Amino acid sequence: MSGKLANQLREGTKKSHSLAENVAFVQCFLKGAVERNSYRQLLGNFYFVYLTLENQLKSLRNHSIVGQLYFPELHRQSSLEKDLSYYWGPHWSQTVKPSTATHHYINRIQEVATSEPSLLVAHSYTRYLGDLSGGQILKKIAQRGMNLPPNQGTHFYDFQDIPNPKAFKAQYRNALDNLPLAAGMTAQVVDEANFAFKLNMALFQELEGSLIKAIGQLLFNNLTFNRNKRRSQWPSELDDAATLQPQD
């Protein structure tokens, strides 16, 4: 394995990525079973995750490590606010609350921001590169699955300030590789990235009951029957990364 952090993160999270892409909720989504209520709950949970992460990244933008990955053009808070207004109405902030799994996720982000800020690198990597890589494909799946009107309910996937995602990802990876990490910290960042995958998986698993209630147990079983066969329905375009479960 290369000593460069970007490659270590990619190689060191492969198993987590494989497990995550086979979570039943993700498999149903990729096969077009996108149920509006569970999806809007997911976006609500994402909102609190990104709000927490982006507040911490902003507060640490002058940190010697975290500041090197401070890219406001990646931030999703305002995009999610537009989507939540579409799905929940103009008073969404009075209705949408973080779930139990979301509380665990945001608590972890706050914990590492206080105790070991460099580990925020793992959380930034785990979310943002996936959003950027798989966003347009997942946007189309969501649009078809929920029969959405154009440019409604999918702002989460749009990066208006990043005209060339491929070039930006190369820039991001270069920033990762040039972080002045202390000896031993690279392994800790990789471990934290794996933990971030688990936190993401918990968000999806928490919503399985809602999805089953909406589409029925039989259809759910049919859609997830082969989920242990790695990438059995994983679009080839998402092998690099995906918003639902990212890998750069």
Side-chain angles (χ1 to χ4, degrees):
M1 185 186 298
S2 167
K4 292 182 179 295
L5 178 58
N7 190 65
Q8 290 208 36
L9 280 166
R10 182 180 178 86
E11 295 300 315
T13 59
K14 276 188 173 181
K15 182 177 179 180
S16 293
H17 186 250
S18 178
L19 292 171
E21 69 188 24
N22 282 296
V23 170
F25 185 93
V26 176
Q27 285 289 297
C28 288
F29 186 98
L30 293 173
K31 294 174 183 178
V34 188
E35 189 271 317
R36 189 183 183 95
N37 187 56
S38 57
Y39 181 74
R40 71 174 186 168
Q41 290 180 51
L42 177 64
L43 291 184
N45 291 335
F46 275 164
Y47 172 75
F48 293 104
V49 171
Y50 284 93
L51 176 65
T52 303
L53 178 59
E54 287 161 14
N55 283 342
Q56 297 298 341
L57 291 174
K58 183 176 181 180
S59 69
L60 291 162
R61 63 189 180 278
N62 295 319
H63 187 272
S64 60
I65 303 295
V66 181
Q68 302 303 309
L69 290 178
Y70 184 63
F71 295 107
E73 56 266 51
L74 283 171
H75 291 183
R76 299 289 82 203
Q77 179 186 344
S78 60
S79 297
L80 282 164
E81 287 172 351
K82 293 176 184 177
D83 287 341
L84 292 176
S85 181
Y86 173 76
Y87 289 108
W88 293 90
H91 304 297
W92 63 267
S93 62
Q94 300 173 22
T95 304
V96 181
K97 306 297 179 184
S99 68
T100 299
T102 306
H103 273 296
H104 291 319
Y105 202 153
I106 63 180
N107 287 344
R108 180 58 181 176
I109 292 172
Q110 291 168 337
E111 178 186 353
V112 300
T114 300
S115 63
E116 187 55 78
S118 296
L119 295 181
L120 284 177
V121 169
H123 292 276
S124 176
Y125 163 86
T126 303
R127 289 297 339 152
Y128 290 124
L129 282 197
D131 298 337
L132 189 58
S133 296
Q136 292 308 301
I137 296 166
L138 297 172
K139 176 181 179 178
K140 292 177 182 178
I141 294 173
Q143 287 174 326
R144 289 195 301 266
M146 293 182 286
N147 194 28
L148 298 174
N151 302 314
Q152 293 293 327
T154 56
H155 290 286
F156 176 59
Y157 303 110
D158 295 330
F159 290 83
Q160 301 294 338
D161 297 325
I162 302 179
N164 187 333
K166 184 176 181 180
F168 185 89
K169 286 190 291 181
Q171 178 187 354
Y172 190 97
R173 294 188 188 101
N174 185 65
L176 284 172
D177 289 339
N178 286 285
L179 292 178
L181 292 173
M185 182 53 66
T186 296
Q188 292 183 52
V189 170
V190 174
D191 287 344
E192 187 67 22
N194 281 303
F195 188 55
F197 267 99
K198 292 180 181 179
L199 293 169
N200 273 287
M201 290 169 64
L203 294 183
F204 303 125
Q205 291 166 337
E206 191 179 53
L207 291 172
E208 287 180 10
S210 175
L211 180 61
I212 291 171
K213 184 177 179 180
I215 68 174
Q217 186 72 58
L218 180 61
L219 177 57
F220 179 84
N221 290 345
N222 288 337
L223 290 170
T224 60
F225 179 74
N226 291 318
R227 67 180 182 273
N228 291 324
K229 294 181 179 179
R230 190 171 186 268
R231 300 188 184 190
S232 58
Q233 295 294 328
W234 194 252
S236 59
E237 298 90 338
L238 295 183
D239 282 351
D240 191 48
T243 301
L244 289 180
Q245 282 302 332
Q247 175 82 352
D248 88 298

